[in-house]
């Protein structure tokens, strides 16, 4: 069963936190509210799909400043920005920093729902990409040193005969290692193996 998305709402305005929280819960989302950056950082953040609805105007550090620091805190949540004092420069800065949307208070309920839905979908897609990347690394690490060599040479475009000469082994042995590499990596085709090599950043011989 897929966990319900968790939306973090960070705003020092209590009435706004309650309003956004009520709106999001009405469509079946889980919500955690926070009145300050410190409160948000101290709160538990379950490893589930979600996003951060972040107010621009916060006591101490601004929402834009905190947005730029999320990665340093190990937080990869997509951000929806909101403010009652929005202007074009702030909008541009926030969007350039990767915000999914920027809402000026008072905003329509549907605009918030649309923005949060888009942010949750972005997080779901990014999580899938990270999981795929981690799986590819784990598969590569399961290869023997020789199989890793063969993978690098195969994905560099060398023929079995050329790989045999490069490694000083028989062509039949190359075929065996190549087959084992394809199987362990879960690659059905050579182009698929090449994409995996690219994702791994394998250094290919000239």
């Amino acid at each position: 069963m897929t966990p319900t998305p968790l939306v973090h709402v960070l705003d020092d305005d209590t009435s706004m936190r309650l309003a956004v929280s009520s709106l999001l819960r009405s469509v079946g989302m889980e919500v955690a509210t926070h009145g300050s950056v410190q409160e948000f950082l101290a709160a538990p953040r379950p490893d589930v799909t979600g996003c951060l609805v972040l107010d621009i105007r916060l006591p101490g550090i601004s929402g834009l400043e905190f947005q730029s620091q999320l990665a340093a805190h190990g937080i990869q949540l997509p951000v929806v920005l909101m403010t009652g004092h929005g202007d074009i420069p702030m909008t541009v800065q926030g969007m350039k920093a990767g915000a999914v949307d920027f809402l000026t208070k008072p905003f329509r309920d549907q605009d918030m729902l649309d923005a949060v839905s888009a942010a949750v979908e972005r997080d779901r897609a990014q999580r899938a990409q990270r999981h795929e990347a981690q799986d590819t690394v784990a598969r590569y690490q399961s290869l023997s040193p020789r199989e890793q060599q063969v993978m690098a040479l195969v994905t560099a475009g060398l023929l079995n005969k050329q790989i045999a000469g490069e490694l000083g082994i028989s062509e039949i042995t190359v075929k065996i290692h190549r087959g084992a590499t394809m199987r362990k990596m879960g690659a059905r085709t050579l182009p698929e193996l090449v994409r995996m090599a690219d994702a791994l950043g394998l250094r290919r011989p000239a």
Side-chain angles (χ1 to χ4, degrees):
M1 184 176 179
T2 303
T4 303
L6 173 61
V7 181
H8 294 271
V9 178
L10 176 48
D11 193 323
D12 62 331
D13 183 333
T14 302
S15 61
M16 180 57 66
R17 290 200 305 274
L18 291 174
V20 174
S21 174
S22 177
L23 172 64
L24 297 176
R25 287 196 172 101
S26 74
V27 294
M29 293 187 181
E30 295 289 334
V31 183
T33 60
H34 316 277
S36 68
V37 167
Q38 292 73 21
E39 188 178 319
F40 170 71
L41 291 175
R45 290 185 299 277
D47 187 20
V48 297
T49 301
C51 69
L52 170 62
V53 177
L54 177 63
D55 187 38
I56 289 291
R57 307 283 179 173
L58 294 171
I61 183 173
S62 74
L64 286 179
E65 288 176 308
F66 185 52
Q67 180 192 11
S68 70
Q69 297 174 8
L70 287 175
H73 289 288
I75 299 170
Q76 298 176 302
L77 291 171
V79 173
V80 174
L81 294 170
M82 59 180 178
T83 183
H85 310 277
D87 57 23
I88 298 301
M90 291 175 72
T91 303
V92 171
Q93 184 180 343
M95 297 304 284
K96 280 186 175 180
V100 175
D101 209 338
F102 188 105
L103 303 178
T104 302
K105 302 173 186 176
F107 43 76
R108 295 189 312 127
D109 286 355
Q110 192 58 51
D111 289 340
M112 173 60 76
L113 293 175
D114 289 346
V116 167
S117 294
V120 167
E121 284 307 309
R122 178 184 290 186
D123 190 44
R124 185 172 285 119
Q126 290 174 339
R127 283 172 174 272
Q129 290 173 351
R130 290 196 295 268
H131 177 75
E132 183 178 349
Q134 291 166 354
D135 182 61
T136 299
V137 170
R139 288 174 181 268
Y140 180 71
Q141 291 174 339
S142 75
L143 301 180
S144 69
R146 180 65 85 189
E147 288 164 351
Q148 291 179 358
Q149 288 179 315
V150 169
M151 178 174 172
L153 295 169
V154 166
T155 55
L158 275 66
L159 302 175
N160 288 346
K161 182 178 181 179
Q162 294 171 310
I163 296 172
E166 181 81 19
L167 299 179
I169 57 179
S170 71
E171 194 171 340
I172 292 176
T173 301
V174 171
K175 290 180 180 178
I176 292 172
H177 286 313
R178 181 170 179 162
T181 298
M182 296 284 286
R183 183 177 67 255
K184 290 182 181 180
M185 292 301 298
R188 292 164 293 183
T189 64
L190 179 56
E192 192 172 348
L193 190 67
V194 170
R195 286 194 293 274
M196 291 177 179
D198 286 340
L200 290 164
L202 294 186
R203 186 186 297 270
R204 299 191 199 174

